[in-house]
Amino acid sequence: MSDTVTEVVPDRVDPPAPAVSRPRARVAGAVAALVALAVGELVSATAGTDQSLIASVGTQFINQFAGPLKDLAIALFGTNDKVALIIGILIVSTLLGAAFSVASTRRRWVGPAGFAAFGAFGLVAGLLDPQTAKPLVVVASLAATAAGIATLEVLRRIAATGTVAPVPPARPVRIDTPTNPAASRRTFFTWAGAATAFAAASAGAAKSLSGRSNADIARDAVRLPTVAGGGTIAPGTTVAEAAPLGVPGLTPYYIPNDDFYRIDTALIVPHIDPAGWRLKISGMVDHPFELGFDELVAMAQVEESATLQCVSNEIGGDLVGNARWQGVPLKALLDRAGVQPGASQIVGVSQDGWTAGFPTDVALDGRVCMIAVGMNGEALPIIHGFPARLVVAGLYGYVSATKWLTDIRLTTWDGFDGYWIPRGWSKLGPIKTVSRIDVPRRGADLTAGATKIAGIALAPSRGIQKVEVRVDKGAWQVARLGDTVSKNTWVQWVLDWDATPGTHAIEARATDATGATQTEETAPPAPDGATGWATRIVDVS
Ligand SMILES: Nc1nc2c(c(=O)[nH]1)N[C@H]1C(S)=C(S)[C@@H](COP(=O)(O)O)O[C@H]1N2
Ligand SMILES: [Mo]
């Protein structure tokens, strides 16, 4: 209809992929990956529950590789390695983004396809993560993918054309080397910098959103009832009062909560608001039931001391601790549910899907076996299982001590394997009798004369009968034992030693109350706990 001839638009052939230099392609891809991750985190964080696609991917990594890393795994996923895992995920994502972008220079679709695959990976990990709200996982991974692709495309276009303005389809601008390289470089890096700043701001916002945890607030508000004569030790006993041997450097009888070792597979610690928490008792029971936190706390409480140890603890290691636990004996709940004949295994299930199983007999033989809500006089710390966890004296944590407990399931012994069993660890996990030398400390400056050798020994649920020490393979000498509140805890021990100048080898071994002495034979933690005598080499001047 127009009668004026404007320009002749030739039959458009798609322009060749814009020429983007490799370094800039890499930067564009890396920045796009960071933007994608940050947007994913920001959207996830709106759940207000620490939900995170990065954490979900990390959790999948742990679940996949905890088995092959067998010897290391239980200890490895203690605390610090989780930070390393997150940083590793960030680095790998950035490198992948850069690689997708470089590949996109030759085949344009590779960049967006790579980011889509990346998003799909996050989606699957998020859906498999028992701690996530699924609709939000979908939205977060879509948003992350879209943000990543958009950032990639825009930055690549700027890298190629030196301008942010979209190229009007009818007038393809020249897309080869821009005329002013300095100006173009400035434009590219300004936009890449802005995108990085946006990613950082989104990550910061995500952090502050997920930081306001109802669980923290609720935990502060918990007031545990005092235990009326139900405990094995006077309520309120302090760590200092319970350290009768008074040897400097000797581990206290009770480990304060802040110093208590922490081991779990949880990349993001479950933050559970007790208001919505339910504990379900189900499986082979006559009357399955569930109860809330207030109901649990309203049941008759006991306070008992018990020593917890990780199967990954090496001889001499510190993945072990003793605490006062307050809660309800598991037996009380089992009696109410009515355990059916043949229900020979009790499985604890946590909020994050972790599981541990132990023989039903253990809950009935009189040892400490409880659902704990308190630790050393306060509500369970969140990292130690708030609002409730299992504590079973005499069994390694990996088969018993389920934190963030949501389910107790009764089944047969063969009917279920807990988390670590298919990953190569023993199904039965009784704690082996061990001793540890704390004093003299490793590398201590010792002078000849009266000194003390001291440490701890444990055989929880059996109790320790004696600890013997020998120096330079001399005669075994019986150490003096500290007080204990029950056979469910470790014991402190001390031996006076008249140290002579020179290098000395100190060895210690414990005998449990059944009369069995710990073996000299050394074994690694996998598959059922380390063995060997405690040894320390010291120099005396
Ligand atoms: N939910 C959950 N509970 C868990 C674990 C875990 O990975 N997830 N690890 C167990 C292991 S291996 C040990 S040794 C103890 C450690 O308890 P702590 O961290 O309170 O010392 O918790 C046990 N309970
Ligand atoms: Mo453990």
Side-chain angles (χ1 to χ4, degrees):
M1 63 149 74
S2 167
D3 54 1
T4 54
V5 176
T6 47
E7 51 194 305
V8 178
V9 180
D11 262 0
R12 275 189 63 228
V13 237
D14 262 354
V20 180
S21 75
R22 255 175 181 260
R24 277 183 218 180
R26 274 197 203 104
V27 171
V31 170
L34 290 178
V35 169
L37 291 172
V39 167
E41 291 307 281
L42 182 55
V43 175
S44 303
T46 59
T49 56
D50 280 348
Q51 180 161 331
S52 149
L53 287 179
I54 298 179
S56 294
V57 168
T59 299
Q60 282 310 309
F61 179 90
I62 290 177
N63 290 343
Q64 291 307 316
F65 294 105
L69 294 173
K70 194 168 112 179
D71 288 10
L72 293 170
I74 297 184
L76 188 66
F77 297 121
T79 316
N80 299 331
D81 307 275
K82 290 177 179 159
V83 177
L85 179 56
I86 299 274
I87 292 173
I89 291 172
L90 292 180
I91 292 174
V92 169
S93 306
T94 315
L95 292 178
L96 276 177
F100 292 149
S101 177
V102 168
S104 211
T105 306
R106 289 195 53 206
R107 281 188 212 82
R108 218 179 125 62
W109 56 269
V110 175
F115 274 76
F118 193 48
F121 197 70
L123 175 71
V124 171
L127 292 178
L128 289 174
D129 186 338
Q131 289 202 84
T132 53
K134 305 308 174 223
L136 202 51
V137 166
V138 176
V139 177
S141 38
L142 285 177
T145 308
I149 293 176
T151 308
L152 180 73
E153 293 302 298
V154 169
L155 285 181
R156 287 182 57 90
R157 189 171 65 215
I158 297 170
T161 65
T163 164
V164 194
V167 181
R171 324 164 151 245
V173 295
R174 285 175 54 81
I175 43 158
D176 46 9
T177 318
T179 42
N180 183 344
S184 131
R185 189 186 316 118
R186 211 176 314 116
T187 311
F188 175 73
F189 284 104
T190 304
W191 282 89
T196 309
F198 169 77
S202 305
K207 182 130 184 62
S208 70
L209 269 179
S210 60
R212 52 173 169 82
S213 149
N214 293 337
D216 291 292
I217 300 162
R219 181 179 177 271
D220 288 345
V222 169
R223 296 282 168 271
L224 295 178
T226 42
V227 177
T232 50
I233 177 172
T237 303
T238 64
V239 166
E241 286 162 350
L245 291 179
V247 179
L250 174 59
T251 303
Y253 184 64
Y254 289 120
I255 301 290
N257 292 355
D258 288 346
D259 299 339
F260 207 92
Y261 84 97
R262 171 196 166 196
I263 291 291
D264 52 63
T265 61
L267 199 49
I268 294 291
V269 171
H271 279 66
I272 301 173
D273 184 344
W277 176 85
R278 306 290 285 169
L279 176 61
K280 299 163 222 56
I281 289 86
S282 64
M284 294 171 67
V285 293
D286 292 332
H287 317 287
F289 68 97
E290 48 177 84
L291 76 180
F293 186 72
D294 291 344
E295 293 166 90
L296 183 65
V297 170
M299 290 178 71
Q301 303 279 298
V302 296
E303 185 179 60
E304 307 241 45
S305 299
T307 299
L308 224 65
Q309 202 199 259
C310 183
V311 68
S312 289
N313 199 33
E314 303 277 352
I315 295 297
D318 57 6
L319 300 178
V320 56
N322 186 49
R324 293 185 290 124
W325 307 96
Q326 175 174 339
V328 174
L330 180 56
K331 184 174 182 302
L333 296 179
L334 296 182
D335 287 349
R336 180 168 156 193
V339 175
Q340 293 174 352
S344 48
Q345 183 176 199
I346 298 175
V347 175
V349 182
S350 75
Q351 170 97 355
D352 60 339
W354 189 86
T355 52
F358 53 90
T360 304
D361 296 344
V362 161
L364 311 172
D365 71 4
R367 72 178 75 199
V368 172
C369 179
M370 67 195 289
I371 299 187
V373 293
M375 180 177 183
N376 288 326
E378 48 177 278
L380 277 180
I382 288 180
I383 59 166
H384 293 295
F386 182 77
R389 73 174 303 171
L390 277 161
V391 170
V392 183
L395 300 184
Y396 291 121
Y398 81 105
V399 288
S400 67
T402 307
K403 303 191 274 189
W404 314 293
L405 185 68
T406 58
D407 285 87
I408 306 261
R409 292 193 195 133
L410 275 291
T411 178
T412 59
W413 186 248
D414 294 328
F416 186 81
D417 285 335
Y419 184 91
W420 284 108
I421 313 312
R423 293 170 170 83
W425 295 77
S426 163
K427 184 146 180 179
L428 279 171
I431 297 182
K432 294 176 178 175
T433 303
V434 283
S435 53
R436 183 179 81 192
I437 300 168
D438 289 341
V439 176
R441 295 250 158 220
R442 224 172 255 115
D445 260 336
L446 293 180
T447 46
T451 181
K452 288 187 191 303
I453 301 171
I456 50 108
L458 60 137
S461 81
R462 300 184 297 280
I464 291 288
Q465 187 182 90
K466 67 173 174 186
V467 174
E468 299 163 291
V469 181
R470 69 177 184 183
V471 179
D472 300 331
K473 306 227 186 273
W476 287 106
Q477 292 170 269
V478 177
R480 184 157 55 89
L481 300 184
D483 294 337
T484 55
V485 298
S486 78
K487 55 189 185 172
N488 294 305
T489 77
W490 63 15
V491 59
Q492 298 164 300
W493 55 264
V494 62
L495 183 81
D496 292 314
W497 178 40
D498 192 10
T500 55
T503 298
H504 301 287
I506 305 171
E507 291 170 290
R509 65 177 188 193
T511 299
D512 73 16
T514 72
T517 299
Q518 79 179 91
T519 174
E520 178 181 12
E521 208 174 302
T522 61
D528 62 358
T531 64
W533 292 341
T535 54
R536 175 136 310 163
I537 311 290
V538 294
D539 286 319
V540 180
S541 56

Short mmCIF file of all heavy atoms in Angstrom, two decimals, residues 464-504:
data_model
loop_
_atom_site.label_atom_id
_atom_site.label_comp_id
_atom_site.label_asym_id
_atom_site.label_seq_id
_atom_site.Cartn_x
_atom_site.Cartn_y
_atom_site.Cartn_z
N ILE A 464 32.93 -49.24 82.08
CA ILE A 464 34.37 -49.53 82.12
C ILE A 464 34.73 -50.08 83.49
O ILE A 464 34.37 -49.53 84.52
CB ILE A 464 35.19 -48.24 81.85
CG1 ILE A 464 35.02 -47.78 80.39
CG2 ILE A 464 36.67 -48.46 82.17
CD1 ILE A 464 35.70 -48.65 79.36
N GLN A 465 35.46 -51.20 83.49
CA GLN A 465 35.91 -51.79 84.74
C GLN A 465 37.27 -51.23 85.15
O GLN A 465 37.50 -50.87 86.28
CB GLN A 465 36.02 -53.30 84.53
CG GLN A 465 36.32 -54.11 85.75
CD GLN A 465 36.44 -55.58 85.35
OE1 GLN A 465 37.54 -56.04 85.02
NE2 GLN A 465 35.33 -56.30 85.34
N LYS A 466 38.21 -51.18 84.19
CA LYS A 466 39.52 -50.62 84.52
C LYS A 466 40.21 -50.10 83.26
O LYS A 466 39.89 -50.49 82.14
CB LYS A 466 40.41 -51.67 85.20
CG LYS A 466 40.80 -52.82 84.31
CD LYS A 466 41.82 -53.74 84.99
CE LYS A 466 42.06 -54.96 84.10
NZ LYS A 466 42.91 -55.97 84.72
N VAL A 467 41.17 -49.20 83.52
CA VAL A 467 42.04 -48.70 82.46
C VAL A 467 43.46 -48.95 82.93
O VAL A 467 43.80 -48.69 84.08
CB VAL A 467 41.80 -47.19 82.21
CG1 VAL A 467 42.81 -46.65 81.20
CG2 VAL A 467 40.38 -46.94 81.74
N GLU A 468 44.26 -49.49 82.02
CA GLU A 468 45.66 -49.76 82.35
C GLU A 468 46.56 -48.96 81.42
O GLU A 468 46.23 -48.75 80.25
CB GLU A 468 45.98 -51.25 82.18
CG GLU A 468 45.18 -52.17 83.07
CD GLU A 468 45.24 -53.59 82.57
OE1 GLU A 468 44.66 -53.88 81.50
OE2 GLU A 468 45.91 -54.42 83.23
N VAL A 469 47.71 -48.57 81.99
CA VAL A 469 48.65 -47.75 81.24
C VAL A 469 50.02 -48.38 81.37
O VAL A 469 50.37 -48.92 82.43
CB VAL A 469 48.69 -46.31 81.83
CG1 VAL A 469 49.66 -45.43 81.04
CG2 VAL A 469 47.29 -45.69 81.83
N ARG A 470 50.79 -48.35 80.31
CA ARG A 470 52.19 -48.76 80.45
C ARG A 470 53.08 -47.78 79.67
O ARG A 470 52.64 -47.18 78.68
CB ARG A 470 52.41 -50.20 80.00
CG ARG A 470 52.26 -50.42 78.52
CD ARG A 470 52.56 -51.87 78.15
NE ARG A 470 52.50 -52.04 76.69
CZ ARG A 470 52.66 -53.19 76.06
NH1 ARG A 470 52.89 -54.30 76.76
NH2 ARG A 470 52.61 -53.25 74.75
N VAL A 471 54.30 -47.64 80.17
CA VAL A 471 55.25 -46.74 79.54
C VAL A 471 56.41 -47.57 79.02
O VAL A 471 56.94 -48.43 79.74
CB VAL A 471 55.76 -45.69 80.57
CG1 VAL A 471 56.78 -44.75 79.91
CG2 VAL A 471 54.59 -44.89 81.13
N ASP A 472 56.78 -47.35 77.79
CA ASP A 472 57.88 -48.06 77.14
C ASP A 472 57.75 -49.58 77.29
O ASP A 472 58.73 -50.28 77.57
CB ASP A 472 59.23 -47.57 77.69
CG ASP A 472 59.43 -46.08 77.45
OD1 ASP A 472 58.87 -45.57 76.44
OD2 ASP A 472 60.10 -45.42 78.24
N LYS A 473 56.55 -50.07 77.13
CA LYS A 473 56.23 -51.50 77.18
C LYS A 473 56.60 -52.14 78.52
O LYS A 473 56.86 -53.35 78.61
CB LYS A 473 56.91 -52.26 76.03
CG LYS A 473 56.60 -51.68 74.65
CD LYS A 473 56.22 -52.74 73.66
CE LYS A 473 56.05 -52.19 72.25
NZ LYS A 473 54.72 -51.67 71.99
N GLY A 474 56.62 -51.31 79.58
CA GLY A 474 56.85 -51.83 80.93
C GLY A 474 55.61 -52.52 81.46
O GLY A 474 54.72 -52.89 80.69
N ALA A 475 55.54 -52.66 82.79
CA ALA A 475 54.39 -53.35 83.38
C ALA A 475 53.13 -52.47 83.24
O ALA A 475 53.22 -51.25 83.31
CB ALA A 475 54.66 -53.63 84.85
N TRP A 476 51.98 -53.11 83.07
CA TRP A 476 50.71 -52.37 83.03
C TRP A 476 50.41 -51.84 84.41
O TRP A 476 50.51 -52.58 85.41
CB TRP A 476 49.57 -53.27 82.55
CG TRP A 476 49.61 -53.58 81.08
CD1 TRP A 476 49.98 -54.77 80.53
CD2 TRP A 476 49.25 -52.72 80.00
NE1 TRP A 476 49.89 -54.70 79.16
CE2 TRP A 476 49.44 -53.45 78.81
CE3 TRP A 476 48.82 -51.39 79.92
CZ2 TRP A 476 49.19 -52.91 77.54
CZ3 TRP A 476 48.56 -50.86 78.67
CH2 TRP A 476 48.75 -51.60 77.49
N GLN A 477 50.03 -50.61 84.52
CA GLN A 477 49.64 -50.02 85.79
C GLN A 477 48.18 -49.62 85.72
O GLN A 477 47.73 -49.09 84.69
CB GLN A 477 50.49 -48.77 86.07
CG GLN A 477 51.95 -49.08 86.32
CD GLN A 477 52.76 -47.80 86.34
OE1 GLN A 477 53.27 -47.36 85.31
NE2 GLN A 477 52.86 -47.20 87.52
N VAL A 478 47.46 -49.85 86.81
CA VAL A 478 46.03 -49.56 86.79
C VAL A 478 45.80 -48.08 87.12
O VAL A 478 46.28 -47.57 88.13
CB VAL A 478 45.28 -50.46 87.79
CG1 VAL A 478 43.80 -50.11 87.84
CG2 VAL A 478 45.46 -51.93 87.39
N ALA A 479 45.07 -47.40 86.25
CA ALA A 479 44.79 -45.97 86.44
C ALA A 479 43.63 -45.78 87.41
O ALA A 479 42.81 -46.69 87.60
CB ALA A 479 44.45 -45.34 85.09
N ARG A 480 43.57 -44.60 88.02
CA ARG A 480 42.46 -44.25 88.90
C ARG A 480 41.33 -43.72 88.01
O ARG A 480 41.56 -42.93 87.09
CB ARG A 480 42.92 -43.17 89.87
CG ARG A 480 41.90 -42.75 90.92
CD ARG A 480 42.64 -42.13 92.12
NE ARG A 480 43.50 -41.02 91.71
CZ ARG A 480 43.09 -39.75 91.63
NH1 ARG A 480 41.83 -39.44 91.90
NH2 ARG A 480 43.93 -38.80 91.28
N LEU A 481 40.09 -44.17 88.28
CA LEU A 481 38.95 -43.76 87.46
C LEU A 481 38.18 -42.63 88.13
O LEU A 481 38.05 -42.62 89.36
CB LEU A 481 38.01 -44.95 87.22
CG LEU A 481 38.59 -46.17 86.52
CD1 LEU A 481 37.49 -47.21 86.28
CD2 LEU A 481 39.26 -45.79 85.21
N GLY A 482 37.67 -41.72 87.34
CA GLY A 482 36.81 -40.66 87.86
C GLY A 482 35.41 -41.21 88.12
O GLY A 482 35.09 -42.36 87.79
N ASP A 483 34.57 -40.36 88.72
CA ASP A 483 33.19 -40.77 88.98
C ASP A 483 32.40 -40.79 87.68
O ASP A 483 32.66 -40.00 86.78
CB ASP A 483 32.51 -39.77 89.93
CG ASP A 483 33.15 -39.80 91.30
OD1 ASP A 483 33.76 -40.84 91.64
OD2 ASP A 483 33.05 -38.79 92.02
N THR A 484 31.44 -41.69 87.62
CA THR A 484 30.50 -41.67 86.49
C THR A 484 29.10 -41.73 87.07
O THR A 484 28.93 -42.18 88.21
CB THR A 484 30.69 -42.90 85.58
OG1 THR A 484 30.58 -44.07 86.38
CG2 THR A 484 32.03 -42.88 84.89
N VAL A 485 28.12 -41.29 86.29
CA VAL A 485 26.75 -41.38 86.80
C VAL A 485 26.13 -42.72 86.44
O VAL A 485 25.16 -43.13 87.05
CB VAL A 485 25.86 -40.24 86.29
CG1 VAL A 485 26.39 -38.89 86.79
CG2 VAL A 485 25.75 -40.26 84.79
N SER A 486 26.68 -43.38 85.43
CA SER A 486 26.13 -44.68 85.05
C SER A 486 27.08 -45.35 84.07
O SER A 486 28.05 -44.73 83.62
CB SER A 486 24.76 -44.53 84.38
OG SER A 486 24.93 -44.11 83.04
N LYS A 487 26.78 -46.58 83.73
CA LYS A 487 27.65 -47.27 82.78
C LYS A 487 27.37 -46.87 81.33
O LYS A 487 27.97 -47.39 80.40
CB LYS A 487 27.51 -48.79 82.94
CG LYS A 487 26.09 -49.29 82.84
CD LYS A 487 26.02 -50.76 83.23
CE LYS A 487 24.59 -51.26 83.00
NZ LYS A 487 24.42 -52.68 83.17
N ASN A 488 26.46 -45.88 81.15
CA ASN A 488 26.18 -45.40 79.79
C ASN A 488 27.13 -44.30 79.34
O ASN A 488 26.99 -43.78 78.23
CB ASN A 488 24.75 -44.86 79.73
CG ASN A 488 23.73 -45.96 79.93
OD1 ASN A 488 23.74 -46.95 79.21
ND2 ASN A 488 22.85 -45.80 80.91
N THR A 489 28.06 -43.93 80.23
CA THR A 489 28.95 -42.82 79.86
C THR A 489 30.40 -43.25 79.86
O THR A 489 30.76 -44.30 80.38
CB THR A 489 28.84 -41.65 80.87
OG1 THR A 489 29.57 -41.99 82.07
CG2 THR A 489 27.39 -41.35 81.22
N TRP A 490 31.20 -42.37 79.30
CA TRP A 490 32.63 -42.59 79.37
C TRP A 490 33.11 -42.32 80.78
O TRP A 490 32.36 -41.83 81.64
CB TRP A 490 33.38 -41.75 78.35
CG TRP A 490 33.28 -40.24 78.47
CD1 TRP A 490 32.86 -39.51 79.55
CD2 TRP A 490 33.64 -39.30 77.47
NE1 TRP A 490 32.93 -38.17 79.28
CE2 TRP A 490 33.41 -38.00 78.01
CE3 TRP A 490 34.14 -39.40 76.17
CZ2 TRP A 490 33.66 -36.83 77.28
CZ3 TRP A 490 34.38 -38.23 75.46
CH2 TRP A 490 34.15 -36.97 76.01
N VAL A 491 34.37 -42.67 81.03
CA VAL A 491 34.96 -42.41 82.34
C VAL A 491 36.30 -41.70 82.12
O VAL A 491 37.00 -41.97 81.15
CB VAL A 491 35.12 -43.73 83.14
CG1 VAL A 491 36.00 -44.72 82.39
CG2 VAL A 491 35.69 -43.48 84.53
N GLN A 492 36.60 -40.77 83.03
CA GLN A 492 37.92 -40.13 82.98
C GLN A 492 38.88 -41.00 83.80
O GLN A 492 38.47 -41.64 84.78
CB GLN A 492 37.84 -38.75 83.62
CG GLN A 492 36.89 -37.80 82.90
CD GLN A 492 36.54 -36.61 83.77
OE1 GLN A 492 36.00 -36.76 84.86
NE2 GLN A 492 36.86 -35.42 83.30
N TRP A 493 40.14 -41.01 83.42
CA TRP A 493 41.13 -41.77 84.19
C TRP A 493 42.44 -41.00 84.29
O TRP A 493 42.71 -40.12 83.47
CB TRP A 493 41.36 -43.16 83.58
CG TRP A 493 41.76 -43.16 82.12
CD1 TRP A 493 40.95 -43.33 81.06
CD2 TRP A 493 43.09 -42.98 81.59
NE1 TRP A 493 41.67 -43.26 79.88
CE2 TRP A 493 42.99 -43.06 80.18
CE3 TRP A 493 44.35 -42.78 82.16
CZ2 TRP A 493 44.09 -42.92 79.33
CZ3 TRP A 493 45.46 -42.66 81.32
CH2 TRP A 493 45.31 -42.72 79.92
N VAL A 494 43.22 -41.32 85.31
CA VAL A 494 44.49 -40.62 85.52
C VAL A 494 45.50 -41.57 86.18
O VAL A 494 45.11 -42.45 86.96
CB VAL A 494 44.29 -39.35 86.39
CG1 VAL A 494 43.76 -39.69 87.78
CG2 VAL A 494 45.60 -38.56 86.50
N LEU A 495 46.74 -41.41 85.82
CA LEU A 495 47.82 -42.19 86.42
C LEU A 495 48.99 -41.24 86.71
O LEU A 495 49.37 -40.44 85.86
CB LEU A 495 48.29 -43.29 85.45
CG LEU A 495 49.38 -44.21 86.02
CD1 LEU A 495 48.75 -45.28 86.92
CD2 LEU A 495 50.17 -44.89 84.90
N ASP A 496 49.52 -41.33 87.94
CA ASP A 496 50.71 -40.52 88.26
C ASP A 496 51.93 -41.18 87.63
O ASP A 496 52.07 -42.40 87.64
CB ASP A 496 50.88 -40.45 89.79
CG ASP A 496 49.76 -39.64 90.42
OD1 ASP A 496 49.45 -38.56 89.88
OD2 ASP A 496 49.16 -40.12 91.41
N TRP A 497 52.79 -40.34 87.10
CA TRP A 497 53.96 -40.86 86.38
C TRP A 497 55.18 -40.04 86.75
O TRP A 497 55.13 -38.80 86.70
CB TRP A 497 53.70 -40.80 84.86
CG TRP A 497 54.85 -41.27 84.02
CD1 TRP A 497 55.67 -42.33 84.26
CD2 TRP A 497 55.32 -40.67 82.81
NE1 TRP A 497 56.60 -42.46 83.27
CE2 TRP A 497 56.42 -41.45 82.35
CE3 TRP A 497 54.91 -39.58 82.04
CZ2 TRP A 497 57.11 -41.15 81.18
CZ3 TRP A 497 55.60 -39.29 80.86
CH2 TRP A 497 56.70 -40.08 80.45
N ASP A 498 56.24 -40.73 87.10
CA ASP A 498 57.49 -40.05 87.39
C ASP A 498 58.31 -40.05 86.09
O ASP A 498 59.01 -41.02 85.79
CB ASP A 498 58.23 -40.81 88.52
CG ASP A 498 59.39 -40.00 89.07
OD1 ASP A 498 59.50 -38.79 88.72
OD2 ASP A 498 60.20 -40.57 89.83
N ALA A 499 58.18 -38.98 85.36
CA ALA A 499 58.78 -38.94 84.02
C ALA A 499 60.29 -38.78 84.09
O ALA A 499 60.80 -37.98 84.88
CB ALA A 499 58.16 -37.79 83.22
N THR A 500 60.99 -39.55 83.26
CA THR A 500 62.45 -39.45 83.17
C THR A 500 62.82 -38.87 81.81
O THR A 500 62.05 -39.01 80.85
CB THR A 500 63.08 -40.85 83.32
OG1 THR A 500 62.50 -41.72 82.34
CG2 THR A 500 62.84 -41.43 84.71
N PRO A 501 63.99 -38.20 81.74
CA PRO A 501 64.37 -37.59 80.45
C PRO A 501 64.44 -38.64 79.33
O PRO A 501 64.81 -39.79 79.57
CB PRO A 501 65.74 -37.00 80.73
CG PRO A 501 65.81 -36.82 82.22
CD PRO A 501 65.00 -37.95 82.79
N GLY A 502 64.08 -38.20 78.15
CA GLY A 502 64.14 -39.09 76.99
C GLY A 502 62.80 -39.16 76.28
O GLY A 502 61.85 -38.47 76.65
N THR A 503 62.74 -40.01 75.26
CA THR A 503 61.50 -40.19 74.51
C THR A 503 60.78 -41.43 75.04
O THR A 503 61.44 -42.46 75.25
CB THR A 503 61.81 -40.36 73.01
OG1 THR A 503 62.44 -39.17 72.55
CG2 THR A 503 60.55 -40.62 72.20
N HIS A 504 59.49 -41.30 75.30
CA HIS A 504 58.75 -42.42 75.86
C HIS A 504 57.48 -42.72 75.07
O HIS A 504 56.85 -41.81 74.54
CB HIS A 504 58.35 -42.13 77.31
CG HIS A 504 59.52 -41.87 78.21
ND1 HIS A 504 60.37 -42.87 78.63
CD2 HIS A 504 60.00 -40.71 78.73
CE1 HIS A 504 61.32 -42.34 79.39
NE2 HIS A 504 61.12 -41.01 79.46
#
